[in-house]
Structure formats: structure tokens, C-alpha cells
Amino acid sequence: MVTHPHPPARWSRAFRQLYAVSVVGSIGQQVALLAVPVLAVGVLRATPGQVGLLGVLGTAAFLLIGLPAGVWVDRADRRTVMIVADLVRSALFASVPLAWWAGWLTIGQLYLVVLLAGAGTVFFDVAEQSYLPAVVGRERLVAANSLLVSTGATIQIGGRALGGFLVQLIGAPVALVLNAAAYLVSALVLTRLRRDAAPARQAGRRDGFGRQLAEGVRHVLGNPLLRPLALSLAGTNLTVNLMTTMLPVVFLRELGLGAATLGLFLGAGGVGALLGAVTARPLADRIGHGPALWLPGLVVAPLGALVPLIDTGPALWLAGFGWLAIAWRTGIGNVIGVSLRQRATPDALLGRMNAVFRFLLFGAIAVGAALSGLLGQYASLHTALWIGAAGTALTWLPIFCSPLRALAEPPTVAASPREAATVADASAPSAGTGR
């Protein structure tokens, strides 16, 4: 049986602060994920095509700047990158309720806000995932990612349900004030992290920008373990987003249900993601990391067909169960997949590796949103749901047809001396924080 070191009894101060940032940011994000499409549909009377375009623009930045962002992050102080990204996103989302209050809000402004906020998310996510190995050490990544993903899933459960009730109670524009405040609080917490806690920069390197970017792409697409993982996860994002993009339109227009019910339904996905995050580590211990990445996808494949059957009454509960099952599989993949790629990547390549994955995964979300909008506009809402469910049932195949299929435990590259010293310093009880 595969074994892992037990999670540390006491996380370092640096990780506790990074964890707090994750909690605060997730709360605001869950409110925004519900409030933005509800605002578009309920206040601005957006068409299915416009809702789909919102989904595309929300992740388009990963396609436009995702790859070069990895090079920039590898060259920069990652704490500063995260702080600036949070401040930018806070200002953008605060502009929406202000424009609504003044009577100036348009779908065009909403397009611009989600596009630019997506750019901020690109830099924040790449910097955060590249920062984590230097804070906790590579051997603790599964435990740290399990805690982060399970906490995020817990927030997803309550956050989307709470977001639904808030949107219904005070309106979508006002609810976005919470999202802006959450990003501001996150930036303030990040200022307490030490600047030198970030992974080492590539000091002394003289490679050009293009060569460094290509090095990151080759590391992912040329790696027999990372390439199938990227294909599988990108396929999952594309097909799941085919369904997610049209669900607000189905709930609010076709079924006549409110934002609160939509929030509870999406919250069921949070329950599934939480269960996946909690079961990921023991499942990988028992059957191996590779099987834990593809076997859950095979098991839940038939259950995804329950989502397109959504209707009022018992069909709504069955669709919710199917949504929960898909999210359970996704939660497992998040913990095992992120830990695998972090452990298999040298610290000097972490920013670029994460950027390539973000480019592929969020690019797939953008494509899924675009296809969903086209299908919803020119075919039917349920056509988008059915194609998404069918595609999701096949996304485990790239891993099954690769060396990952029977992988017991991922390889761990050696940490650099600078990174090892950073981990030891961040874990020391007397470690201070910088402002």
C-alpha cells in the first residue's frame, strides 16, 4: 500500500496565512459566480448567447496571457503578484454596483469587468500554486492541497447557497459588494506574508522570454505523466462548463425557479467536491495515484446523464445527485492532479508549469462556455446539457491510456537548496511576518 507522511500537527504561520487568503477569496468568488450570470439574466435581460459570452470572457485571459504569465511569475516576487491581482479584482467588481446605482450599468461593462478580473485571476492563481511548495515542502503537498480543496468545497456548499439567498434578498448588484470586499481583505492578509518566503527567482539566467516560455510548454506536453493529466482535466473543464453555463438560464427561465434554488443546486456540487477532496488521499493510498485519477471518472460516467433530465419535482433531486457525483470525481482530481504536477516539477519551472495548465484548463472552460452559448441560442438549452454530460463520461480515457493508469506514487523532484531553506524558515515557530 502506498504511504504518505502524515500531515503536520501544526502548519507553519506562512501556510496559515495562505490558507486564510484561500478562504476569504473563495467566499467572495462563490458569490460572484452566482451573482454575475443572475445579474445578466435578471437585470440586464441577457440572451443565452450573451450569457455564454460572459462565460467565455471570464476565462479568456487564460488564453490571451496565460502562458506568458508563467514566465513573469517565475521572474517576480509571488506575494506582490497576488496582492496586486487582488486589489485590481476588488476595484473591478466594486465598479458594478456603483454603475448599477448610478443607472449606467450595461452588458458591455459586465463583459469588461469579467475579462479584466479574469486577467487578475490568471496571475493570482499561477502565483499561488507556485508559492505553495516553498511554504509546505513537496512531501506535504497532498495534505496541503487536500485541506485547501476540501475547505474550498465546504465554502462552495455554503457560499453558493448563501449567494443565492443574498442575490434573491438584496439583488445581484449589491451582492457583488461582498466579492469586492473579499478580494480587499485577501490583499490585506497577503501583506503579512514575508516577501522572501516565495520560491527562488531564476537568478543569473540569461534565457530569452520565448525560450523560457517554450521550456514550460515542453515540460508539460513532453512529460508522459503531465500530458495525459492535462488532456483529461481540460476535457473535464470543457464538458462540465457546457452544462454550468446554461444552468442559470434553465433555472430562471425554463423552470421558473429562483436564484436561491439555483444556489442550492450548485451547492450540491460543493458537497461532491468536498467528499472528493476528503476521500482523495485515502483512495490514492489504497489504489495508487494513477488509478485514483481515472477510476472515479469511470464509476460516475452514467450518473452525469441525470443532469440533462433536470425538471421540477423528483427530477430536480436526481439531477442534483448527478451533479454531486460529477463534482466528487472533480474534487479527487483536483487534489491528486495538482499534487502530482507540483511534485514532478522543479521549483524554477513551477510558474510556467502552472501557467501551461491554467492556459489549457481555463481555455477549455472558455471553449465550453462559447459552445454552450451557441448551442443554447441556436439549438436548445438541453442540447448543451446532453453534450456536456456525454463528454464528461469520456474524460477519464486519456489517463487510462497512459503510464498514469497504474502509477502508485508520483516522482518527486529534488527541491533547490534555496527552497529547502525557505521551507525550514517558514516552519520555524519564531518566523515573523513582513508588512
Side-chain angles (χ1 to χ4, degrees), residues 288-303:
H289 285 242
L293 284 170
W294 66 264
L295 188 57
L298 175 62
V299 171
V300 306
L303 299 178

Side-chain angles (χ1 to χ4, degrees), residues 94-261:
S95 73
V96 175
L98 289 175
W100 169 78
W101 178 78
W104 299 336
L105 184 63
T106 65
I107 191 68
Q109 179 183 342
L110 207 56
Y111 287 156
L112 185 62
V113 166
V114 297
L115 175 63
L116 296 180
T121 300
V122 170
F123 283 97
F124 185 93
D125 286 358
V126 172
E128 183 186 40
Q129 289 192 350
S130 304
Y131 190 98
L132 184 63
V135 173
V136 302
R138 294 177 186 273
E139 295 303 319
R140 296 174 177 175
L141 281 171
V142 173
N145 281 314
S146 179
L147 177 60
L148 290 169
V149 173
S150 60
T151 301
T154 303
I155 294 171
Q156 184 179 345
I157 297 168
R160 291 194 177 182
L162 175 62
F165 284 112
L166 282 174
V167 168
Q168 193 156 310
L169 180 65
I170 63 177
V174 180
L176 284 176
V177 173
L178 294 177
N179 191 45
Y183 285 130
L184 182 60
V185 171
S186 175
L188 293 175
V189 173
L190 283 168
T191 61
R192 299 180 60 84
L193 283 170
R194 295 177 56 156
R195 289 178 60 90
D196 61 354
R201 303 179 191 179
Q202 300 179 67
R205 288 200 57 173
R206 294 292 182 266
D207 291 345
F209 188 94
R211 181 173 295 181
Q212 290 187 30
L213 190 152
E215 186 180 9
V217 174
R218 285 196 303 269
H219 174 69
V220 173
L221 299 185
N223 189 302
L225 300 182
L226 298 184
R227 182 176 59 250
L229 178 65
L231 291 175
S232 176
L233 295 179
T236 299
N237 279 4
L238 189 153
T239 53
V240 169
N241 214 47
L242 276 168
M243 296 182 281
T244 304
T245 303
M246 285 300 108
L247 281 176
V249 185
V250 171
F251 269 79
L252 299 178
R253 289 192 180 164
E254 182 178 286
L255 303 181
L257 300 173
T261 307

